[in-house]
């Protein structure tokens, strides 16, 4: 073969990596991967076979941990946690730094073990996964060092249960463990049953680093073991995996008080405009979808190409796909390795057999025998095609076209997922116009699959909630310092034996879409003062009223696009108009609650102050440019969550203002359910809204029974988040119902605490990380 032939065919000679050291490591440990608990190994049983997906050969046995063994690991973590947290940030930082150094030292062993276990090409494990693992521990060593000063009002959660997937076994371990132990938590981590071997090497690294016993505990097993960990006595569950399992975990943890973050599936759009650099876009696309055999939650699996260049783009893409090299993952010349397991391979084949006929299937690069699937392109699909909507999790790219930028956004957002997206255009103005409009937690401009420990990663919609990486990722592993106290519910004042009849009926209506609205139920209830005086009637909202309020909130979506300056002006105006009527509101609060006028006046003044505080924050809660190691910038943009349903606490006015002010300051729309015991101050407040230039639908106020309204509010698929500070026991209902569309929740679990402004602002925003490379080379 001549040099010219080699360049034309890209037929490289084999460059195999030796697996000898990794196999010897396994043999020295009895050929079994098992639990690492309290700094020691055991039990070690070959309950499950661990296979090499590239060859089908058995690599090791795997222990399936029982619920009792899971409980033992959690107990070890619980015992170690107080001492670990009290070490302080500097001493924790030294341990994380040591782990990072040892990951680099053992990089070759880790890379080979990952490839043997997972089937990914050794080049990817060596050049992407392992360096990022070290980067996460280095970065979070720095976070630990700074925490005592920069997060002095926050503290560790306690014991964190962590469940990771098989597609990036060691990298997902680092994403979970590094921030958790940096914050002072201890962890019990369960790797995937297909890919537990690098977690075992990592356990050895923890021992070598001198990490105190019980800080990191690793339990092995299958889904039953994961379910036992979810049900165990942990303070948090962090899960990365399928949307279906994430939904089950959300339901299982509802009402338990456990913190929860979910990083789930995706069907990410890869948008190519006609002015894009076509060669670069094709190379980026190859990385976006065929990296790790397409077994990537944020893979660019939906190609959206502008109609004018679609035919040429597809032709050149197919030519490029034909040059991909698929085969032995330990060969350094291989582009595409093995599918992780025959079960996953069969799933890919089934989906293709079911939906492939809707388009034209192109497979220019044949796959060898075994657990391999050829790189595939399916063209001619429409947006609602099954393959365009379902996550395939394999090397399958599906494609459709668009004509205008507006249509590109519409098609891109036509999915139940919201993890990542890529935008390709040489017009940076166009790219930066499109990126904020995409419903995704991460957007790459002229690039794909860029990750760094400094930049938050995570999704919205059914791609989950929470962020991993950066300061925002640390929030999920901490809580406000101090203890919460049990809520003592306010009691409604009972109807006296004799009621003075009002001259005129004073039934307060609901406030929906900027208008007073009668309740659909047609019912209301009397509200009495402590001395038995009839103060008026409050409407009793129903499921249909929730629906109407949510529709009105969605109709006000322009509020999220309003400038921060405009939102601030309106919040200041609300505060000004409330101040003008402060005596009236104080009198109403005193009449409702029986508190002294001075205390009632203080509640009004506090509400005015809250409005002014969040008016001030409107244009000062900054986005950030993350210092990622690239020629470019990763912008952490703070987007509004969307429509927030909120159940207020028992303060007649303060409970309402506390949820409205931060939410609308950040561009959200609110459906607020007022104090159940004292609703009339909230219904008076909509008169203030009417005179304060608040657009219709931005604030909607319902009154009625919290327990009855919790289910329709939390179950509504067009509500993006639900907060509850109610004295009623709503937490289990809200968290359970939220599993439908995996919306964010913020509930009190029957306890009350004072939250700093930044906590309210964080709950009112989503971080969207927009990666913008720059420069010529």
């Amino acid at each position: 073969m001549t040099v010219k032939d080699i360049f034309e065919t890209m037929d490289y000679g084999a460059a195999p990596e030796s697996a000898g050291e990794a196999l010897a490591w396994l043999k020295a440990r009895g050929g079994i991967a098992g639990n690492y608990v309290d700094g020691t190994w055991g039990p070690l049983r070959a309950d499950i076979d661990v296979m090499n997906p590239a060859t089908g050969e058995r690599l090791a046995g795997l222990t399936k941990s029982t619920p009792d063994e899971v409980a033992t690991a959690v107990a070890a973590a619980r015992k170690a946690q107080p001492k670990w947290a009290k070490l302080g940030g500097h001493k924790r930082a030294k341990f994380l730094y040591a782990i990072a150094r040892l990951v680099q030292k053992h990089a070759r062993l880790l890379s080979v073990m990952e490839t043997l276990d997972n089937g990914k090409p050794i080049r990817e494990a060596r050049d992407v996964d392992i360096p990022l693992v070290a980067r996460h521990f280095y970065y979070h060593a720095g976070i630990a060092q700074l925490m005592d000063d920069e997060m002095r009002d926050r503290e560790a959660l306690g014991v964190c249960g962590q469940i990771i997937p098989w597609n990036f076994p060691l990298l997902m371990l680092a994403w979970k463990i590094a921030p958790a132990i940096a914050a002072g938590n201890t962890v019990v981590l369960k790797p995937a049953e297909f890919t537990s071997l690098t977690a075992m090497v990592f356990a050895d690294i923890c021992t070598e680093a001198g990490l105190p016993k019980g800080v990191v505990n690793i339990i092995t097993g299958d889904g039953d073991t994961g379910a036992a960990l979810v049900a165990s006595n942990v303070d948090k569950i962090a899960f990365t995996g399928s949307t279906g399992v994430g939904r089950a975990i959300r339901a299982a943890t509802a009402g338990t008080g456990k913190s929860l973050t979910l990083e789930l599936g995706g069907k990410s759009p890869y948008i190519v405009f006609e002015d894009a650099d076509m060669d670069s876009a094709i190379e980026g696309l190859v990385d976006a979808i065929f990296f790790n055999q397409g077994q990537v939650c944020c893979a660019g699996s939906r190609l959206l190409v502008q109609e004018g260049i679609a035919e040429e783009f597809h032709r050149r893409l197919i030519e490029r796909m034909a040059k991909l090299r698929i085969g032995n993952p330990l060969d350094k010349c291989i582009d595409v390795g093995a599918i992780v397991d025959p079960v996953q391979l069969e799933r890919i084949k089934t989906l293709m057999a079911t939906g492939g006929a809707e388009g034209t299937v192109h497979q220019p690069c044949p796959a060898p025998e075994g657990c391999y699937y050829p790189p595939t392109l399916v063209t001619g699909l429409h947006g609602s095609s099954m393959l365009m909507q379902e996550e395939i999790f394999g090397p399958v790219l599906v494609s459709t076209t668009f004509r205008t930028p507006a249509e590109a956004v519409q098609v891109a957002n036509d999915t139940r997922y919201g993890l990542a997206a890529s935008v390709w255009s040489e017009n940076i103005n166009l790219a930066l116009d499109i990126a904020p409009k995409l419903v995704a937690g991460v957007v790459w401009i002229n690039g794909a699959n860029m990750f760094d420990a400094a930049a938050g990663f995570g999704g919205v919609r059914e791609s989950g909630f929470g962020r991993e990486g950066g300061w925002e990722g640390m929030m999920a592993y901490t809580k406000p310092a101090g203890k919460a106290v049990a809520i003592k519910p306010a009691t409604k004042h009972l109807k006296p034996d004799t009621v003075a009849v009002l001259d005129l009926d004073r039934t307060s209506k609901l406030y929906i879409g900027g208008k007073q609205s009668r309740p659909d139920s047609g019912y209301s209830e009397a509200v009495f003062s402590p001395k038995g005086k009839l103060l008026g009637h409050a409407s009793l909202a129903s499921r249909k009223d929730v629906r109407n309020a949510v529709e009105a909130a969605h109709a006000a979506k322009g509020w999220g696009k309003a400038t921060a300056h405009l939102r601030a002006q309106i919040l200041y105006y609300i505060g000004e108009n409330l101040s003008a009527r402060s005596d009236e509101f104080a009198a109403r609060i005193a009449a409702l609650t029986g508190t002294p006028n001075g205390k009632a006046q203080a509640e009004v003044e506090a509400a005015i102050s809250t409005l002014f505080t969040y008016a001030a924050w409107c244009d000062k809660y900054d986005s950030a440019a993350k210092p990622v190691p690239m020629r470019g910038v990763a912008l952490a943009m703070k987007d509004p969550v969307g429509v927030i349903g909120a159940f207020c606490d028992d303060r007649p006015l303060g409970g309402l203002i506390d949820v409205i002010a931060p939410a609308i300051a950040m561009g959200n729309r609110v459906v607020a359910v007022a104090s159940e015991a004292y609703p009339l101050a909230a219904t008076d407040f909509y008169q203030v809204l009417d005179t304060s230039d608040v657009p219709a639908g931005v604030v909607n106020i319902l009154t009625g029974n919290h327990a009855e309204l919790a289910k329709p509010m939390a179950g509504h698929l067009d509500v993006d988040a639900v907060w509850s500070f109610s004295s009623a026991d709503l937490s289990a209902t809200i968290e359970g119902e939220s599993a439908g569309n995996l919306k964010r929740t913020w509930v009190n679990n029957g306890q009350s605490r004072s939250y700093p402004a930044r906590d309210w602002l964080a709950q009112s925003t989503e971080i969207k990380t927009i990666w913008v490379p720059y420069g010529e080379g």
Side-chain angles (χ1 to χ4, degrees), residues 114-115 118-122 124-125 129 167-169 292-293 329-330 337-338:
E114 196 83 323
T115 294
N118 171 273
K120 66 175 61 190
I122 184 69
E124 294 178 4
D129 292 24
N167 56 342
F168 293 94
N292 202 34
Q293 298 73 252
L330 283 173

Side-chain angles (χ1 to χ4, degrees), residues 182-264:
N185 303 284
T186 54
V187 303
V188 179
L189 178 135
K190 191 202 88 68
E193 64 267 33
F194 295 153
T195 54
S196 296
L197 299 184
T198 46
M200 301 300 102
V201 181
F202 180 80
D204 260 5
I205 286 175
C206 289
T207 299
E208 190 175 348
L211 193 70
K213 293 180 179 181
V215 173
V216 170
N217 305 272
I218 296 173
I219 55 170
T220 55
D222 57 11
D224 292 338
T225 304
L229 181 56
V230 170
S232 69
N233 181 31
V234 295
D235 301 296
K236 174 184 172 65
I237 291 292
F239 173 77
T240 296
S242 72
T243 295
V245 176
R247 185 175 285 113
I249 291 174
R250 169 71 287 179
T253 57
T256 63
K258 294 173 184 174
S259 178
L260 180 65
T261 49
L262 300 172
E263 197 266 281
L264 307 175

Side-chain angles (χ1 to χ4, degrees), residues 161-190:
Q162 303 177 321
I163 303 172
I164 59 174
W166 44 258
N167 56 342
F168 293 94
L170 192 63
L171 183 56
M172 293 296 99
L173 176 150
W175 280 22
K176 296 287 189 290
I177 289 180
I181 65 175
N185 303 284
T186 54
V187 303
V188 179
L189 178 135
K190 191 202 88 68

Side-chain angles (χ1 to χ4, degrees), residues 348-548:
I348 297 169
K349 290 180 176 179
T350 299
L351 286 170
M352 283 299 299
T354 304
E358 292 186 72
T360 303
V361 178
H362 309 270
Q363 293 179 329
C365 176
E369 290 295 321
C371 202
Y372 295 90
Y373 195 83
T376 300
L377 168 67
V378 185
T379 58
L381 296 172
H382 52 81
S384 60
S385 298
M386 186 270 282
L387 293 181
M388 290 289 290
Q389 293 295 324
E390 292 298 321
E391 185 181 31
I392 301 171
F393 223 66
V396 178
L397 175 67
V398 297
S399 181
T400 191
T401 61
F402 66 90
R403 293 182 179 179
T404 65
E407 186 183 359
V409 171
Q410 181 181 12
V411 176
N413 291 339
D414 183 21
T415 172
R416 65 183 187 274
Y417 298 109
L419 188 54
S422 292
V423 180
W424 288 77
S425 171
E426 289 296 281
N427 182 348
I428 194 64
N429 291 326
L430 173 62
L432 290 175
D433 177 59
I434 295 296
K437 298 175 181 177
L438 299 175
V439 182
V442 180
V443 179
W444 296 296
I445 292 176
N446 293 331
N449 285 342
M450 291 180 278
F451 310 100
D452 187 64
F457 180 87
V460 295
R461 291 180 172 173
E462 292 191 24
S463 291
F465 48 80
R467 294 293 179 265
E468 294 183 292
W471 286 103
E472 54 268 35
M474 290 299 294
M475 293 289 288
Y477 286 98
T478 60
K479 63 183 178 182
K483 292 185 176 180
V485 297
I487 294 176
K488 184 179 179 181
T491 55
K492 296 179 182 179
H493 301 301
L494 301 177
K495 177 181 178 181
D497 294 334
T498 303
V499 179
V501 178
L502 297 171
D503 292 334
L504 294 173
D505 175 61
R506 296 181 61 188
T507 300
S508 297
K509 299 181 179 66
L510 310 176
Y511 189 67
I512 298 174
K515 299 178 181 179
Q516 298 183 40
S517 174
R518 290 185 175 86
D520 181 70
S521 68
Y523 290 104
S524 62
E525 66 176 354
V527 180
F528 297 96
S529 74
K531 295 182 179 180
K533 180 182 179 181
L534 179 61
L535 301 177
H537 291 78
S539 296
L540 293 176
S542 65
R543 176 186 295 269
K544 187 175 180 181
D545 298 309
V546 171
R547 186 194 70 187
N548 293 341

